[in-house]
Amino acid sequence: MNTNALHGHMDALLLSVLEHEPLHGYAIIEALQERSGGALAVPTGTVYPALRRLERAGYLAGEWATVGGRKRRTYRLTGTGRTALASERSAWREFTAAIGSVLEPRTR
């Protein structure tokens, strides 16, 4: 899938992946690939700046942890992040409904 198609949706994807458990950056990338059935191969150069931006916005909290013997920055969703995720999901449902009604109009 073309990563340009993800423009504007990366925040929602990252927040969603972190909804149930804290993960480090590479594990987030793997989760995106796994959840999408391999369709989303998001480059690290896209994910890490977005994670830092979401952390600065207060949607994520990051802390250093040792994972598999390596020191990694692990991110978890904050309460503000959960609210933002709910808003992103609502906006996504409205967006897909509107686009779907144009691309696949019902016959009357």
Side-chain angles (χ1 to χ4, degrees):
M1 176 178 281
N2 182 345
T3 55
N4 289 332
L6 300 177
H7 184 72
H9 305 290
M10 184 57 63
D11 290 0
L13 294 170
L14 294 173
L15 295 174
S16 180
V17 166
L18 291 165
E19 182 176 24
H20 299 295
E21 65 180 324
L23 296 170
H24 59 82
Y26 188 71
I28 292 168
I29 293 169
E30 287 180 326
L32 287 170
Q33 276 191 305
E34 183 180 316
R35 286 188 183 190
S36 69
L40 298 179
V42 183
T44 58
T46 299
V47 172
Y48 288 105
L51 290 170
R52 286 190 293 274
R53 183 175 41 73
L54 290 168
E55 186 177 14
R56 282 192 308 271
Y59 297 159
L60 301 178
E63 60 185 32
W64 290 101
T66 302
V67 179
R70 297 180 65 186
K71 191 172 180 181
R72 299 178 186 252
R73 188 134 181 99
T74 302
Y75 298 90
R76 68 173 173 77
L77 204 58
T78 64
T80 303
R82 289 185 190 286
T83 301
L85 176 57
S87 178
E88 290 280 355
R89 283 182 170 147
S90 177
W92 175 254
R93 283 190 290 274
E94 290 176 17
F95 175 77
T96 57
I99 297 301
S101 67
V102 173
L103 293 178
E104 297 177 2
R106 297 180 185 171
T107 54
R108 295 182 186 242

